[in-house]
Amino acid sequence: MNSLENMKIRVLIKEDLDAIVEIDEKILGENRRNYWEKKLELMNNKSSNISLIAEVEEKVVGFILGDVSGWEFGVPETIGWIDTIGIDPTYQKKGLATALAHELIKNLKALGVKTIYTLVSWNDWDLLQFFHAMGFTRGDMINLELKI
Ligand SMILES: CC(C)(COP(=O)(O)OP(=O)(O)OC[C@H]1O[C@@H](n2cnc3c(N)ncnc32)[C@H](O)[C@@H]1OP(=O)(O)O)[C@@H](O)C(=O)NCCC(=O)NCCS
């Protein structure tokens, strides 16, 4: 079966919580239900929900969380964010993340977004490779941290 051909993309809703928690646990090996509950609740309270779900035969197999905002970090334009992307390991390497990201980018473009930001840990090679393959490059901002 070709997962990509059978894939449907739709807007993420709060009822996707269980499926997202399950995929996240498959990827990271820990159950982060509380974290996702809070995250989806925050997302739900926003007027712009642009996050997406990928389904194959009505089963949730991936998600991409995005956001749109302006004037943050002194950036004077409408900017888009890719917050998190996750594909069920069984369905990885089939082009699903690429399809999800293209759809999100198309939707952000329609909202007037010209630049999309994302943050990736230096150790997440799959994500770094994926964003590289999508055409993302190193931006001008640098990440600062203070251990306390
Ligand atoms: C990174 C991730 C989103 C890619 O999803 P995917 O559906 O497998 O990606 P695609 O099939 O669309 O891959 C597109 C390109 O990205 C790159 N890529 C994707 N996964 C890769 C990997 N594991 N290693 C190296 N390159 C990778 C490749 O260049 C690939 O193109 P190719 O297949 O022609 O080589 C997926 O592996 C994932 O969910 N990883 C975990 C991410 C995570 O930790 N999220 C936070 C917790 S939910």
Side-chain angles (χ1 to χ4, degrees):
M1 184 190 64
N2 185 335
S3 304
L4 197 54
E5 269 177 23
N6 286 294
M7 184 186 66
K8 287 201 181 82
I9 296 179
R10 62 162 172 83
V11 169
L12 189 153
I13 53 173
K14 62 178 189 309
E15 286 75 16
D16 292 316
L17 174 70
D18 289 347
I20 291 173
V21 170
E22 200 178 307
I23 293 173
D24 182 61
E25 188 169 1
K26 278 191 192 171
I27 293 172
L28 297 181
E30 63 174 303
N31 185 291
R32 302 196 296 167
R33 193 178 182 86
N34 288 346
Y35 163 80
W36 281 108
E37 248 167 20
K38 285 194 198 101
K39 209 170 172 69
L40 295 197
E41 201 178 298
L42 280 175
M43 201 187 77
N44 230 37
N45 292 337
K46 286 197 162 188
S47 54
S48 59
N49 174 18
I50 53 156
S51 300
L52 300 170
I53 284 287
E55 280 181 342
V56 172
E57 294 178 333
E58 285 169 36
K59 177 184 156 63
V60 175
V61 295
F63 55 87
I64 186 165
L65 265 65
D67 202 357
V68 57
S69 56
W71 290 102
E72 279 174 8
F73 306 110
V75 182
E77 56 175 298
T78 306
I79 54 162
W81 288 93
I82 293 181
D83 178 305
T84 316
I85 183 163
I87 304 292
D88 183 328
T90 315
Y91 292 84
Q92 288 180 6
K93 294 270 180 189
K94 299 175 195 296
L96 299 193
T98 304
L100 265 182
H102 277 147
E103 185 69 17
L104 182 74
I105 290 167
K106 190 181 85 188
N107 296 344
L108 285 170
K109 217 171 176 177
L111 291 170
V113 166
K114 299 238 171 9
T115 311
I116 299 173
Y117 293 94
T118 192
L119 279 172
V120 181
S121 161
W122 184 241
N123 301 314
D124 283 340
W125 286 103
D126 56 346
L127 276 172
L128 280 174
Q129 288 292 324
F130 167 70
F131 282 114
H132 176 71
M134 287 293 305
F136 279 70
T137 56
R138 256 184 96 152
D140 290 335
M141 286 194 283
I142 57 164
N143 153 254
L144 301 178
E145 63 181 34
L146 173 68
K147 300 255 190 273
I148 54 169

